Amino acid sequence: EPEVTQTPSHQVTQMGQEVILRCVPISNHLYFYWYRQILGQKVEFLVSFYNNEISEKSEIFDDQFSVERPDGSNFTLKIRSTKLEDSAMYFCASLRERNTGELFFGEGSRLTVL
Amino acid sequence: AQTVTQSQPEMSVQEAETVTLSCTYDTSESDYYLFWYKQPPSRQMILVIRQEAYKQQNATENRFSVNFQKAAKSFSLKISDSQLGDAAMYFCAYRALVNQGGKLIFGQGTELSVKP
């Protein structure tokens, strides 16, 4: 069964460092998302991506964040200068078409900022 | 703006018993999906069940069923014959069909424990 894959599963970084989280969505899906979950809290929407551009972003997704799909398969989330409060689980998700049902989630990338 | 509210931070159920998790939402849209996701300690997001708003019939997946009350904007999850493996965080989620982004909006979650 097709699945969304994310790497790395866990990354530890120093405050101020750049981090890139990678995702490979399901191949025939058209919509891509990043979500964040701080430990013990709810899952928060960061950004959606469609047709090679951001279609929606939340207030959390400030200038420190960026996304791209450089090669038609990977979908990356970059945090330019990490802060302590960026420590969280980051989930990638994909959706085949707007009118289809559920988003398919990856297993998440745990980011720890020291 | 759409919101999803889960008013029960924690719930507990005896193994083999039935438990109902509550969820309410607020939207002005008419076409949308509702979902329940399960998040075990591994923190993976696992789809439990989904409901299309245009369908009057409540969705059912084996031991899991929903009570969808569109007018009341209520979407509760019933777990029958609870098993130890059902212990997890459960998130209710909403997705509108109108906007291009199609993002999911999650509730705060309900931590379910199952007692043997």
Side-chain angles (χ1 to χ4, degrees), chain B residues 24-41:
Chain B
T24 59
Y25 60 95
D26 188 26
T27 183
S28 57
E29 305 287 345
S30 57
D31 292 327
Y32 51 88
Y33 284 104
L34 295 165
F35 306 90
W36 280 96
Y37 281 88
K38 172 185 177 181
Q39 188 180 44

Side-chain angles (χ1 to χ4, degrees), chain A residues 48-63:
Chain A
S48 58
F49 193 86
Y50 169 73
N51 199 25
N52 282 320
E53 63 182 18
I54 291 174
S55 51
E56 189 175 358
K57 61 184 179 180
S58 71
E59 294 175 351
I60 303 168
F61 195 87
D62 61 21
D63 291 344

Side-chain angles (χ1 to χ4, degrees), chain A residues 31 33 35 37-39 41-43 45 48 50 55-56 89 91 95 97-103 105-107 110, chain B residues 4 33 35 37 39 41-45 47 50 89 91 95 97-109:
Chain A
Y31 297 82
Y33 307 83
Y35 284 82
Q37 186 184 30
I38 295 170
L39 185 64
Q41 298 186 21
K42 71 175 184 180
V43 182
F45 168 75
S48 58
Y50 169 73
S55 51
E56 189 175 358
M89 183 74 98
F91 292 100
L95 175 71
E97 296 172 358
R98 190 186 74 186
N99 292 331
T100 56
E102 68 271 22
L103 275 62
F105 283 85
E107 294 190 350
R110 185 188 302 272
Chain B
V4 178
Y33 284 104
F35 306 90
Y37 281 88
Q39 188 180 44
S42 67
R43 298 187 74 181
Q44 185 176 3
M45 299 295 288
L47 178 69
R50 81 178 199 198
M89 182 72 89
F91 289 98
R95 183 168 83 82
L97 295 181
V98 173
N99 66 76
Q100 188 74 0
K103 70 182 182 187
L104 270 176
I105 299 170
F106 287 89
Q108 303 92 323

